[in-house]
Amino acid sequence: MKAKVYVTLKKGVLDPQGKAVGGALESMGYKEVKDLRIGKFIEIELNGSSKTETEKRLKEMCEKLLANTVVEDYRVEIE
Amino acid sequence: MKAKVYVTLKKGVLDPQGKAVGGALESMGYKEVKDLRIGKFIEIELNGSSKTETEKRLKEMCEKLLANTVVEDYRVEIE
């Protein structure tokens, strides 16, 4: 089974890396860029047959390790 | 307009960060994790009306700054 996890900074949390990249794009002439935020994209290959059970376990992994839930949100997608 | 850019390591390129996280999950009892790879997920807000033109510009940004095309692939999605 394949899963995708998206970890993004919560709204209101400053993203200095995103700001820097957005500023760099602007100075390169891409003036249309208004805002840019950078998150993580995690691709996981797992053994398992039950989608429901896998989703539950993945959410646990996010809470415990993959995301810092104080400042980050996460979203899990199973293929 | 909102766009999402996914930057992932090419197949065959080692991902030590992913290896470390995968190993950590395994040692935490998530033995079902077979492989894990970490990429970047970039959310961009842009001015612009033409989807085709925006996509072209975004691809340029990826080639020039957002992705290192020697070792990374990218995918652009416009909403």
Side-chain angles (χ1 to χ4, degrees):
Chain A
M1 215 176 276
K2 273 197 173 183
K4 287 173 184 170
V5 176
Y6 305 85
V7 179
T8 48
L9 282 172
K10 283 187 177 165
K11 263 189 191 152
V13 176
L14 285 181
D15 177 9
Q17 192 192 1
K19 271 267 170 304
V21 172
L25 284 173
E26 217 191 300
S27 73
M28 284 164 74
Y30 298 104
K31 306 282 182 205
E32 67 264 48
V33 175
K34 271 169 56 190
D35 193 40
L36 187 151
R37 286 173 84 78
I38 300 184
K40 269 175 286 180
F41 172 53
I42 307 171
E43 291 171 297
I44 311 179
E45 240 188 274
L46 314 109
N47 294 318
S49 46
S50 152
K51 209 171 157 174
T52 331
E53 177 62 19
T54 303
E55 196 174 345
K56 201 186 124 221
R57 301 265 294 173
L58 276 168
K59 281 187 179 168
E60 258 180 52
M61 293 181 211
C62 288
E63 293 282 339
K64 286 189 193 165
L65 184 78
L66 302 179
N68 174 356
T69 52
V70 178
V71 289
E72 290 172 330
D73 286 323
Y74 62 85
R75 196 168 47 124
V76 171
E77 258 176 32
I78 300 175
E79 276 173 14
Chain B
M1 216 177 276
K2 273 195 174 186
K4 288 175 183 170
V5 176
Y6 305 86
V7 179
T8 49
L9 282 171
K10 284 189 177 164
K11 262 190 191 150
V13 177
L14 284 181
D15 177 10
Q17 192 191 2
K19 271 269 169 301
V21 172
L25 284 173
E26 217 190 300
S27 72
M28 285 164 73
Y30 299 103
K31 307 282 183 203
E32 68 264 47
V33 176
K34 272 168 57 191
D35 193 39
L36 187 150
R37 285 172 85 80
I38 300 184
K40 270 174 285 181
F41 172 53
I42 307 172
E43 291 170 297
I44 311 179
E45 241 188 273
L46 316 108
N47 294 319
S49 47
S50 151
K51 211 173 155 173
T52 330
E53 177 62 20
T54 303
E55 198 175 346
K56 201 187 123 222
R57 301 266 296 174
L58 277 168
K59 282 186 179 168
E60 257 181 52
M61 294 180 210
C62 288
E63 294 282 339
K64 286 191 191 163
L65 184 78
L66 302 178
N68 174 355
T69 51
V70 178
V71 289
E72 290 172 331
D73 286 323
Y74 62 84
R75 196 168 47 128
V76 171
E77 259 175 31
I78 299 175
E79 275 173 15

